[in-house]
Amino acid sequence: MIGQAGVPVSRLFKKTLIVVVVLFGLISTSISILSAWSIYTGMTQEFDVKGHSIGSILAEASIAALMADNPAALQSTIDEYLGVEGVSHVLIADRAGDIVAHTFVPGIPNDIAQLTHNLKLDLVNHRAGTFDNDIHEMERHQNIVSPILGGEAGYVLVGMDKSLIKDQILSIILQQQGIVLLLMILSIIITYFLIDKISQPLTVLNRHAEKLASVDIENIDCFKHEIARLTSHSHDEIGELAKSFIFMEDALAESVKTLASNVAAQERINTELAVAREIQLKMLPDQATLKKLHKNVIVYAMVRSAKEVGGDLFDCFYLGEHGADSKTGEFGRKLFFVIGDVAGKGVPAALFMSMTCTLLRTKANNYSQPGDLLQSVNRELCVNNDACMFVTVFCGVLDLQTGKLVYCSAGHDSPFVLSPADGVTNLECKPGIALGVLDKAVYENGNHQLSSSDTLFLYTDGVTEAKDMEGQLYSVPRLVELLNGQLKANPETILKAVIEDIDRFADEAPQADDITMMAIHTRLDDKC
Amino acid sequence: MALLFMILPLVGFAQHDLSDKPLKQNEPTAQKADIVLGMSGAFSGTSARLGSALYNGMSVYFEHINAQGGINGRSIRLQEYDDGYDPEPAIKNTLKLIEEDKVSALIGYIGTPTVTRVLPLLNIYDNKNLLLFFPFTGAEPQRQPPFSAYAYNLRPSYRQETRGLVDHLVNIGRDRIAVFYQADAYGRSGWDGVRRALKEHGLSIVGEATYRRGTPYDESFNQQVEILRESTPDVVISIGAYAAAAGFIRDSRNADWAVPIANISFVDSESLLGLLVAESSSSGRDYTANLINSEVVPNYHDDSYPAALEYRRLMQENDLEELGFVSFEGYLNAKLMVEILRRTGGDINRANIKSTMNTLVDHDIGIGERVHFSEANNQGLQSVYFNTVQDGHYVSIDDWSGWSPGVPPL
């Protein structure tokens, strides 16, 4: 019965059906009660009137026949009234109260016999006037007694069949119920089609909404078409709803388009950043370049970047003009090394790092003291540094013949010296101000004498500030402890041990910052 | 069974093709107009045989007269209509006979409820001088004023029949009399007759039960049997039509109630007997015992009556084998009607009829008893005959002593 309209029709229809049935039930019950009552009172009244009239007429018409003692004529007269609707029996008694004509078949019922017996006693005892159109109610009959000549000549008893009233009520109620039932069925059919008509657009909208998730937003105009007609056909809430749908879809399409173009832009940027990162990494010396440095020294460095382009930097090269030995003029006696960390991330940090790297590399040969170099680079970096970028740097120059190390720190963590004899020691140095902060900043040099087989371990804060899953820092003590176990190890082994330990520590925790490490192992020239 | 009673159509046309024989057409020989007589009776329903029998009895005699040249050269035509023993059609038929058929007189109407309703019509049609002759009913209305002025009876009344029965029964000691009767004017007439007769003996009816007019034979009458049996009567007088009367007898006997049951002439004794004989032969029980029937004509088998001889001859000539009290009464009605037509020259009206009827004093119609009309008496015959069934035939009851309560039933 619910049909193709599906769930919305079914539920709507069920609810309406209940309302219709209850409504019709109430109507039908109240009509039946009202009808039964009015028919009952009307017919009872009519039967009274009819019974009285027939009784009176018969009383009048019977006089002559009663006087002539002609029961056949009386019978003939009363037989005529037996056909009148509602009349169940007629009886005439003479002045002695004896029944002289009646219409009962097969005989006079007991209750009537009792009634006539009592009437006879009334007649005999009181004579006329004791009853005047008396009504004797019995279970099935209403008996109306009409005296003939005031009771002197006898009486007429007319019985009205009350069961006719019941039959009539039943028949009319049945007819009414039939009509109400027909009307109800008609109403249900009309309601069904009406609800189906109302719910069809709803179903269209419903299906439309379901399909919306999978539709190609590019073709939204075609898709919209199927509900567009609802806005023109339904000038009601359905039409308004369809309009809202179309408005929502337009807004959705617009925002999806914007999102798509944003994503495209982001992707483009990401691609460019990746390229930038590659370029940046290439600015740092690779392992092969570092290997070429090997003479009295073994250098190994490692950069593990966080997601975006970062600002860690390191470099290591032999000083040129000034790097050449003043006496021998031998090139490659003095090794310049630097490690740094630009504050912040992203493109600005990368650019600042590039600038720092370039300045250090170009200026390194001009200054014999790292402090001077940093002072010079700092001045350059402070020029037009509107973004207030800064970089911490630790750099030094190692004399590979003497093991003398001159170094300077611009706000960077001081490195550790791993000595097989003395263990791990932190290189003492004045912290200095990070480069790019203050153009007149002065950087003091530090000196340290490295022994042969000592290893200098440099790092950025990405090492000590690596976090585990619970946010705990890797920390300097843990690093020192690890390094203590690596006193005799070569630089590559040391760095790999550290990075493995960091990985163990961090577990699944994401890397928040670039991790950069560099280890320089000295094998001092015997000639020194 | 319907073929047992066939109608012999008279000159002219017949309304009921109840006969399986070709119509015997007698074209009017004379130039003069027919004398048209009108009849309304039961040709259908539970009393259909009554109409056929009465019609046949009348028509054989009219046919006989017509064959001899009619009345002064005028043929007699009997126009009949069926009322099914119901008052309403009887009234309509009468109006039709008066207005359309322009009948000279009405004859052979059947039944008390029908006749008592038709009588007032004759009063209304006073100016047409219409008279009703020899209705087949013993009720009082057409025997007493005011309607006695519009009717002449041949047969004795129900009062006479019931008085005859009551007198004989009381005399032999059967004084507890109950009445089984049709719930209408006919039944009431018979009931009244019994009541009056008993009253003269200082008795009253000990029990009564009724049935609805038109009740068929197949219907059960056990209730009536039960009601009457409770009053422990010595005899039941039945005022009924043959179907119901036979049904009541059947159910009484089936209830092993052997009480004598007396019927009156209207019952159509042959039809009653026919049903009971058929029932007896199908069930093996004898339903014809302990029956008394009062008749208003003598036994038609009695050769001592010239009318009986002529009736049987005419019936035979017309191939009507089913003889009976009813058709014999019809024959006698016709015979007296012809005599009246002869005496009035065929022109019947209330002005000349009285004087004509008054000449019918001591008139012999061949049944022993002579017809006698007078100013104060509009009923020709007074004798009632009593029969019982022996060996499937009606025989006269000559000695009532055999019906005494102490005597074992026949």
Side-chain angles (χ1 to χ4, degrees):
Chain A
M1 181 118 188
I2 304 311
Q4 82 281 15
V7 175
V9 167
S10 167
R11 286 182 194 157
L12 269 178
F13 184 63
K14 269 183 198 163
K15 282 180 189 167
T16 317
L17 188 69
I18 291 168
V19 172
V20 168
V21 169
V22 169
L23 211 59
F24 271 90
L26 284 174
I27 289 169
S28 136
T29 311
S30 43
I31 285 177
S32 298
I33 292 170
L34 193 67
S35 302
W37 183 77
S38 59
I39 293 165
Y40 180 79
T41 50
M43 281 190 76
T44 309
Q45 229 164 22
E46 188 195 323
F47 272 28
D48 272 358
V49 171
K50 209 187 251 185
H52 284 132
S53 307
I54 293 171
S56 302
I57 291 165
L58 279 175
E60 202 61 36
S62 309
I63 298 169
L66 266 176
M67 293 294 117
D69 192 14
N70 188 349
L74 288 173
Q75 187 74 41
S76 186
T77 311
I78 65 174
D79 280 352
E80 286 180 44
Y81 289 91
L82 206 55
V84 177
E85 194 202 8
V87 176
S88 64
H89 56 261
V90 184
L91 173 153
I92 295 178
D94 62 12
R95 67 197 309 259
D98 293 328
I99 298 165
V100 289
H102 68 77
T103 58
F104 294 104
V105 171
I108 299 170
N110 287 337
D111 51 357
I112 301 288
Q114 187 57 48
L115 174 63
T116 52
H117 178 73
N118 294 339
L119 291 171
K120 182 176 181 172
L121 291 180
D122 284 352
L123 269 181
V124 172
N125 293 340
H126 308 292
R127 273 295 166 217
T130 52
F131 45 77
D132 180 15
N133 280 337
D134 277 0
I135 298 175
H136 299 261
E137 291 287 347
M138 288 180 183
E139 196 184 339
R140 280 190 59 235
H141 301 113
Q142 192 171 322
N143 291 288
I144 296 134
V145 181
S146 308
I148 303 171
L149 287 179
E152 280 299 327
Y155 64 84
V156 176
L157 184 145
V158 177
M160 304 301 288
D161 190 354
K162 285 198 289 190
S163 64
L164 269 185
I165 299 176
K166 210 170 78 185
D167 293 349
Q168 187 78 4
I169 288 172
L170 204 66
S171 139
I172 286 181
I173 284 177
L174 276 177
Q175 281 175 17
Q176 282 174 349
Q177 300 286 352
I179 291 169
V180 171
L181 190 70
L182 272 178
L183 284 176
M184 190 177 81
I185 290 168
L186 203 67
S187 301
I188 288 172
I189 291 170
I190 290 171
T191 308
Y192 173 72
F193 283 110
L194 211 61
I195 287 178
D196 190 41
K197 195 170 156 51
I198 291 170
S199 68
Q200 255 175 6
L202 283 176
T203 313
V204 169
L205 285 174
N206 190 38
R207 262 184 300 185
H208 184 81
E210 280 170 5
K211 280 199 286 186
L212 187 60
S214 58
V215 81
D216 182 2
I217 213 77
E218 293 295 322
N219 297 324
I220 196 80
D221 283 341
C222 289
F223 180 66
K224 259 180 354 194
H225 181 70
E226 69 180 34
I227 60 165
R229 65 184 178 86
L230 291 180
T231 59
S232 53
H233 288 184
S234 307
H235 300 289
D236 50 18
E237 287 81 353
I238 304 284
E240 290 301 313
L241 189 59
K243 276 183 197 164
S244 301
F245 256 80
I246 289 174
F247 178 77
M248 182 195 78
E249 281 166 18
D250 287 344
L252 192 63
E254 195 53 44
S255 76
V256 167
K257 272 181 196 165
T258 309
L259 185 64
S261 78
N262 286 350
V263 167
Q266 186 65 44
E267 275 177 3
R268 202 165 52 247
I269 289 168
N270 284 349
T271 312
E272 284 165 6
L273 280 177
V275 172
R277 179 173 190 76
E278 212 169 316
I279 293 167
Q280 187 191 8
L281 286 173
K282 280 189 178 164
M283 289 177 71
L284 303 178
D286 56 13
Q287 298 300 342
T289 309
L290 293 177
K291 262 189 181 172
K292 284 178 187 167
L293 298 174
H294 290 184
K295 189 178 174 188
N296 294 338
V297 73
I298 300 169
V299 182
Y300 194 80
M302 180 188 282
V303 176
R304 184 190 276 181
S305 302
K307 278 179 183 172
E308 297 174 37
V309 283
D312 277 12
L313 62 95
F314 73 91
D315 207 349
C316 188
F317 51 85
Y318 288 110
L319 289 174
E321 196 182 343
H322 294 283
D325 189 84
S326 53
K327 291 176 184 170
T328 61
E330 193 179 344
F331 178 78
R333 189 175 162 183
K334 291 192 176 175
L335 183 73
F336 176 83
F337 62 87
V338 62
I339 189 164
D341 181 3
V342 178
K345 284 192 172 52
V347 175
L351 286 173
F352 202 72
M353 172 261 187
S354 308
M355 198 152 67
T356 309
C357 274
T358 309
L359 284 170
L360 285 168
R361 189 171 272 266
T362 52
K363 287 183 184 265
N365 282 316
N366 300 340
Y367 300 94
S368 59
Q369 295 299 310
D372 297 341
L373 172 64
L374 291 184
Q375 223 162 294
S376 168
V377 170
N378 178 50
R379 277 198 299 273
E380 294 284 343
L381 288 175
C382 283
V383 176
N384 294 327
N385 184 14
D386 293 335
C388 292
M389 303 291 294
F390 63 89
V391 59
T392 63
V393 168
F394 183 93
C395 67
V397 176
L398 176 63
D399 188 326
L400 295 174
Q401 281 186 339
T402 62
K404 188 184 174 187
L405 173 66
V406 184
Y407 57 89
C408 183
S409 172
H412 198 84
D413 292 329
S414 62
F416 291 101
V417 178
L418 282 66
S419 166
D422 304 324
V424 178
T425 51
N426 202 207
L427 208 57
E428 281 181 22
C429 68
K430 302 241 169 105
I433 301 170
L435 305 182
V437 177
L438 187 64
D439 60 349
K440 288 180 180 154
V442 177
Y443 298 93
E444 288 184 27
N445 292 315
N447 291 292
H448 184 78
Q449 181 62 50
L450 285 176
S451 305
S452 185
S453 300
D454 279 358
T455 304
L456 191 64
F457 178 80
L458 302 106
Y459 67 96
T460 58
D461 57 2
V463 174
T464 51
E465 288 174 11
K467 288 177 181 172
D468 66 3
M469 296 293 282
E470 291 163 2
Q472 303 268 346
L473 297 179
Y474 184 73
S475 80
V476 175
R478 179 161 177 154
L479 177 63
V480 172
E481 192 186 335
L482 184 96
L483 291 176
N484 266 320
Q486 304 290 332
L487 295 178
K488 289 180 181 173
N490 68 41
E492 186 175 354
T493 310
I494 294 167
L495 261 53
K496 283 183 178 167
V498 172
I499 201 76
E500 278 170 17
D501 194 45
I502 288 171
D503 284 345
R504 268 196 303 278
F505 173 78
D507 197 7
E508 297 288 319
Q511 185 184 331
D513 202 358
D514 291 347
I515 294 173
T516 307
M517 294 180 283
M518 184 159 68
I520 302 166
H521 181 73
T522 55
R523 286 183 298 178
L524 294 179
D525 195 341
D526 295 338
K527 287 184 236 181
C528 301
Chain B
M1 292 292 276
L3 298 178
L4 293 175
F5 294 86
M6 289 172 286
I7 292 174
L8 178 73
L10 267 190
V11 177
F13 43 83
Q15 295 294 312
H16 302 279
D17 187 15
L18 298 178
S19 169
D20 59 351
K21 295 175 184 174
L23 299 182
K24 196 169 175 181
Q25 296 284 357
N26 271 8
E27 292 303 324
T29 50
Q31 297 286 318
K32 294 178 184 174
D34 290 346
I35 298 166
V36 185
L37 302 176
M39 171 188 184
S40 176
F43 290 96
S44 63
T46 52
S47 295
R49 292 182 187 179
L50 216 50
S52 310
L54 195 70
Y55 180 90
N56 284 346
M58 289 198 288
S59 55
V60 290
Y61 191 75
F62 289 140
E63 170 77 6
H64 168 65
I65 297 300
N66 286 343
Q68 292 174 354
I71 309 292
N72 297 335
R74 295 173 70 187
S75 286
I76 303 164
R77 180 156 69 87
L78 181 57
Q79 176 64 62
E80 90 289 4
Y81 291 118
D82 177 26
D83 58 36
Y85 193 28
D86 263 332
E88 288 305 318
I91 291 169
K92 283 179 187 161
N93 290 346
T94 306
L95 289 170
K96 203 172 170 191
L97 288 166
I98 297 169
E99 297 291 348
E100 293 177 20
D101 298 308
K102 315 278 186 202
V103 296
S104 301
L106 302 173
I107 188 169
Y109 272 49
I110 296 169
T112 310
T114 46
V115 169
T116 49
R117 293 290 299 280
V118 165
L119 288 171
L121 262 187
L122 302 180
N123 193 341
I124 291 162
Y125 280 91
D126 195 47
N127 58 344
K128 301 239 179 196
N129 281 319
L130 268 176
L131 288 166
L132 171 64
F133 285 95
F134 319 139
F136 189 78
T137 160
E140 290 304 308
Q142 74 275 19
R143 287 176 169 80
Q144 289 178 8
F147 300 121
S148 53
Y150 303 96
Y152 285 98
N153 306 281
L154 179 59
R155 59 175 11 243
S157 69
Y158 293 143
R159 282 187 185 173
Q160 286 168 303
E161 284 191 65
T162 49
R163 170 176 295 187
L165 280 168
V166 169
D167 286 350
H168 281 297
L169 291 164
V170 171
N171 283 343
I172 58 169
R174 290 194 184 269
D175 53 8
R176 289 187 62 79
I177 297 177
V179 184
F180 168 76
Y181 63 104
Q182 185 165 291
D184 68 356
Y186 160 53
R188 188 60 62 194
S189 291
W191 171 89
D192 182 42
V194 175
R195 186 184 64 142
R196 281 166 187 273
L198 282 171
K199 204 172 179 181
E200 286 179 16
H201 292 280
L203 298 167
S204 56
I205 294 170
V206 297
E208 62 171 75
T210 57
Y211 75 91
R212 191 80 60 212
R213 180 173 67 235
T215 306
Y217 173 68
D218 297 333
E219 204 126 302
S220 166
F221 292 88
N222 287 330
Q223 275 187 302
Q224 285 87 344
V225 170
E226 214 168 289
I227 291 169
L228 292 180
R229 204 170 184 180
E230 268 178 25
S231 62
T232 61
D234 294 327
V235 65
V236 175
I237 296 181
S238 164
I239 316 292
Y242 62 85
F248 173 71
I249 293 165
R250 175 200 62 210
D251 290 342
S252 297
R253 303 313 185 219
N254 284 344
D256 293 324
W257 194 30
V259 68
I261 297 171
N263 293 282
I264 60 172
S265 61
F266 186 81
V267 84
D268 180 5
S269 303
E270 280 75 16
S271 296
L272 176 81
L273 190 58
L275 288 172
L276 294 176
V277 167
E279 188 74 39
S280 298
S281 62
S282 68
S283 72
R285 182 193 280 266
D286 182 15
Y287 293 96
T288 63
N290 276 359
L291 299 182
I292 299 165
N293 279 39
S294 72
E295 302 292 354
V296 290
V297 292
N299 197 321
Y300 49 88
H301 286 296
D302 192 335
D303 291 346
S304 63
Y305 302 127
L309 289 169
E310 188 184 36
Y311 157 73
R312 297 210 308 268
R313 181 173 57 79
L314 290 177
M315 290 293 276
Q316 197 181 355
E317 281 174 10
N318 287 284
D319 295 333
L320 294 169
E321 292 167 3
E322 292 299 325
L323 305 178
F325 291 101
V326 177
S327 61
F328 186 42
E329 185 175 338
Y331 158 82
L332 294 174
N333 287 345
K335 192 167 184 176
L336 188 57
M337 191 71 230
V338 165
E339 183 59 30
I340 292 165
L341 290 172
R342 280 204 180 113
R343 291 189 189 199
T344 57
D347 182 20
I348 303 166
N349 60 61
R350 281 175 57 213
N352 66 17
I353 197 71
K354 270 213 163 22
S355 52
T356 305
M357 294 306 285
N358 287 341
T359 64
L360 285 169
V361 178
D362 206 24
H363 175 68
D364 184 11
I365 53 168
I367 56 167
E369 184 190 2
R370 289 166 177 268
V371 172
H372 178 91
F373 285 98
S374 69
E375 196 70 46
N377 174 31
N378 70 341
Q379 176 184 310
L381 298 171
Q382 310 299 330
S383 295
V384 179
Y385 308 86
F386 301 98
N387 299 311
T388 186
V389 182
Q390 265 180 23
D391 305 325
H393 294 288
Y394 284 105
V395 294
S396 295
I397 300 174
D398 299 322
D399 180 11
W400 282 85
S401 62
W403 291 88
S404 297
V407 176
L410 292 169

